[in-house]
Structure formats: structure tokens, C-alpha cells
Amino acid sequence: MKALEKRISEEGEALSSNVLKVGSFLNQKIDTAFMFEMGQEIACLYKNEPITKIITIEASGIALALAAAYYMKVPVVFAKKSKTSNVSGEVYRAAIHSFTHNCDYNAVIPKAYLSSDDTVLIVDDFLADGNAVIGLASMIGQAGAALAGAAIGIEKGFQGGGDALRAKGVRVESLAIIEKMEPNKIVYR
Amino acid sequence: MKALEKRISEEGEALSSNVLKVGSFLNQKIDTAFMFEMGQEIACLYKNEPITKIITIEASGIALALAAAYYMKVPVVFAKKSKTSNVSGEVYRAAIHSFTHNCDYNAVIPKAYLSSDDTVLIVDDFLADGNAVIGLASMIGQAGAALAGAAIGIEKGFQGGGDALRAKGVRVESLAIIEKMEPNKIVYR
């Protein structure tokens, strides 16, 4: 998606060789109209799949997931990062390592919200080492649901998570794939 | 909003006299079409205010904020709950007590995303004791921005946070206000 590459190049800040800040339009301040353009692009990429549900993980994946869901006319379920007092009953669970926060956490989805009848699209704002997608795919597998693929805003291609998933046969569509980041230069695949 | 009251009565679970679970359509599994109906209602309620930005707090406020922003054609900024490696630079900050999780946390918004030129609407899925709104209003005040009011999905009226804010002159519009919760009965204001 050329418009996303342009936006990353104009507003993104490479805080190091592998941390990219795009909070000005994607994941803290949200450019609403642009977020819906991204959602529409995802809907278009997966228009031939019989998707019944979008799964994402709190917090920054929720906006892109909802924007895609608007065009795909399906519900969104987001995995929560810990068991809280308002998650009751039986849950699917996966341990996920966060690249951004350098810590491990448990992601949970109540069993009532995902079933073997579902064909699921995973949506997230970023894909780095792929751990979030692997964790969400694990929960989809626990439910006996079908995985249609993953739709990502920005994939950091140089971290290899996307290609490792593709090598396992998972369809991964990223609206922008960054091959290399340097202080004043971002190279796209 | 009668449709929301109906939905709460049909699907909500009172886990105790003051914890209401509505994860099946509002804040873990999201009924996408219904979320946009709620967003449209918020846009209608505030249509005469010169709002330039919606502020919410991660994670469960993001979906309703984005749905309202879609109709109001404004950006969304969400406060993050701790300073992470991808929040850089100067921030507005507020300490907030979470009723749901029974803990205190810091909410932060980078200064670049909120300015004295903004007229801000606070959006959140729930309002209980009002601490999240008070914290967000504090950050709006730190920025010198104007506060147009708050738009809430479900207000737990019996916890008093909404009325305390109204008594201070803050406009609070809630799509449903629960006056009383009993195991098999929810009474609306």
C-alpha cells in the first residue's frame, strides 16, 4: 500500500535499528480516515475468503481490526493480555513474548467467543518476530477454527517473523513491509 | 439508547452487585455493526460542538472511540497505561485508579498529540467512579485544550462518578445508565 509507505517515510521515526515509532497516525494518535483506508485494503485482500471473525490483541491492534471488520461485516474479538475480573469462565490461552516491551505475557480469549465454526483472520498493527500471530493462531487452533491468514499494517521484514509464518504455509498480507531501517532512510520490500 | 439497554439486559451478566460483563458484544467480542450504531449516536449527541479530537484510554475504549470518530471525522488519541519503549519525548501524565482491576496506573499522552487548539471529546466504554474521565480531563487541562464533554457507552449510575462530573459542570452523555444491578434484573435510569 503505497500510501502507507509514504506516510511511514514522512512521519515514522526510527528510534533504533529495529524500533519504529508511528504513533502520529497509526497506533497512539489515529488518523481515522487513513485507518479506514487501511481496513478497506485488508477487506479487499481477503475478499475471497469465507471469514466469519477477526481476532486481534489489545491494545494497538484493535483500531485496524475494527476498521477492517467494518468493511468485512464480521465481529472482532480481541485477546486480553491477562486474566482480569471481568473475564470469566473457560478461556483459550497462549504465552506470548512482546518484542516492544521485552516481556512475556498471557493472552486469553473466552471460549464462548471463538468456535470450530469460525474462519478467522488475524489482524495486527505490527509484525516483528511474529510471536503475537503465533499465539493467536495457537488459540484459533485450540478452538478448532480455521485460520484464513493474517493481515498486518507494518511488517518489519528484517526481523523474519512474517517469512517464517509464510514458510509454514500461513498467508500473511502486510500493507507495508520494511526491509531495512536507518536513521534517515526506510527501505521497503 | 434503547437498543443498548435491550442488549445489556439480554446478554449482560452481573458478576456481582457492581461488575457487569458485556464482553459478548461491547468490550472483548465486538458486534461491529452495533458498535458503529453507538458511535453514530455519540456523533449525533455532540454534533453542535466544534470537536477536533477524541481522547480515550487503552484498551477497551478504543473501539467505541474509533466508531464515533468515523462519523465525526476527527482523529482519535488513546492514552497508554504506562511509558513503553515506543512512547518517546514529553508526555502529559495522570495517575488513575482502575475500578475493574483494583490498581493504580499512570496514563500518558505524548504532548505532540494534544494541543491548546483542540476541543476534545472523551469517549470510553464504561464509567463507574469516573476516575478515567477525571484523569483524561486532567491531561486535556495540562494541554490547555477545551473539554467538550464525555461520551460513555455504559454508565454505572449507582457508583456516582457520572453525577459527580455533572455536578462539576462536565457534560456527560451515556448511551445507557444503570441505576441498579441485581442477579437477574438490571434497572436503567
Side-chain angles (χ1 to χ4, degrees):
Chain A
M1 191 181 174
K2 283 289 166 199
L4 178 57
E5 293 181 1
K6 184 165 179 284
R7 200 75 188 258
I8 296 166
S9 292
E10 282 170 2
E11 295 184 36
E13 292 172 57
L15 299 185
S16 70
S17 64
N18 56 18
V19 175
L20 175 68
K21 187 185 162 198
V22 286
S24 67
F25 66 96
L26 186 66
N27 59 9
Q28 183 155 16
K29 179 179 168 193
I30 296 166
D31 178 332
T32 303
F34 191 69
M35 183 63 76
F36 280 86
E37 282 176 37
M38 290 172 66
Q40 194 165 23
E41 183 79 15
I42 288 171
C44 183
L45 285 163
Y46 280 95
K47 67 174 188 283
N48 293 326
E49 298 297 322
I51 290 161
T52 60
K53 210 164 269 177
I54 288 176
I55 301 281
T56 187
I57 192 158
E58 64 179 5
S60 55
I62 295 173
L64 184 57
L66 187 70
Y70 175 79
Y71 293 103
M72 299 173 76
K73 302 186 192 308
V74 296
V76 173
V77 174
F78 61 88
K80 294 200 180 191
K81 284 185 176 166
S82 63
K83 203 166 192 307
T84 66
S85 65
N86 53 4
V87 177
S88 61
E90 298 259 310
V91 296
Y92 303 115
R93 196 179 293 272
I96 297 179
H97 180 78
S98 166
F99 172 79
T100 310
H101 301 86
N102 192 27
C103 64
D104 294 299
Y105 60 88
N106 268 297
V108 297
I109 294 176
K111 290 191 177 178
Y113 302 158
L114 188 58
S115 85
S116 58
D117 296 332
D118 282 315
T119 298
V120 182
L121 177 65
I122 294 170
V123 172
D124 209 354
D125 57 337
F126 266 96
L127 188 153
D129 48 17
N131 288 329
V133 172
I134 291 166
L136 293 172
S138 156
M139 288 188 275
I140 291 164
Q142 289 166 45
L147 173 62
I152 305 295
I154 302 173
E155 177 180 340
K156 293 191 281 184
F158 56 88
Q159 288 186 251
D163 289 334
L165 286 160
R166 290 180 188 103
K168 283 191 222 164
V170 178
R171 180 176 175 191
V172 180
E173 301 280 358
S174 300
L175 302 183
I177 303 179
I178 296 174
E179 204 55 70
K180 198 176 175 185
M181 290 199 317
E182 289 165 4
N184 290 305
K185 195 181 176 188
I186 293 172
V187 180
Y188 301 95
R189 186 179 294 180
Chain B
M1 191 181 173
K2 283 288 165 201
L4 178 57
E5 292 180 1
K6 184 165 180 284
R7 201 75 188 260
I8 296 166
S9 293
E10 283 170 1
E11 295 184 37
E13 292 173 58
L15 298 186
S16 69
S17 63
N18 55 18
V19 175
L20 175 68
K21 188 185 161 197
V22 285
S24 68
F25 66 97
L26 186 66
N27 58 9
Q28 182 154 17
K29 180 179 168 193
I30 297 167
D31 178 332
T32 302
F34 191 69
M35 183 63 76
F36 280 87
E37 282 175 37
M38 291 173 65
Q40 193 165 24
E41 183 80 14
I42 289 171
C44 183
L45 285 163
Y46 280 95
K47 67 174 188 283
N48 294 325
E49 297 297 322
I51 290 160
T52 60
K53 209 164 269 176
I54 288 176
I55 300 281
T56 187
I57 193 158
E58 64 179 6
S60 56
I62 296 173
L64 184 57
L66 188 69
Y70 175 79
Y71 294 103
M72 298 173 77
K73 301 185 194 308
V74 295
V76 173
V77 174
F78 61 89
K80 294 200 179 190
K81 284 184 177 167
S82 63
K83 202 166 193 305
T84 66
S85 64
N86 53 4
V87 177
S88 61
E90 299 259 310
V91 296
Y92 304 114
R93 195 180 293 273
I96 298 179
H97 180 77
S98 166
F99 172 80
T100 311
H101 300 86
N102 191 28
C103 65
D104 294 299
Y105 60 88
N106 268 297
V108 297
I109 294 175
K111 290 191 177 178
Y113 301 158
L114 189 57
S115 85
S116 58
D117 296 332
D118 282 315
T119 298
V120 182
L121 177 65
I122 294 169
V123 173
D124 210 354
D125 57 337
F126 266 97
L127 188 153
D129 49 17
N131 287 330
V133 173
I134 291 167
L136 293 172
S138 156
M139 288 189 275
I140 290 164
Q142 290 166 44
L147 174 61
I152 305 296
I154 302 173
E155 177 179 340
K156 293 191 281 185
F158 56 87
Q159 289 186 250
D163 289 335
L165 286 161
R166 291 180 188 102
K168 283 191 221 165
V170 177
R171 180 177 175 191
V172 180
E173 300 281 358
S174 300
L175 301 183
I177 303 179
I178 296 175
E179 204 55 70
K180 197 176 175 185
M181 289 200 317
E182 291 166 2
N184 290 306
K185 195 181 177 190
I186 293 172
V187 180
Y188 302 94
R189 187 179 293 181

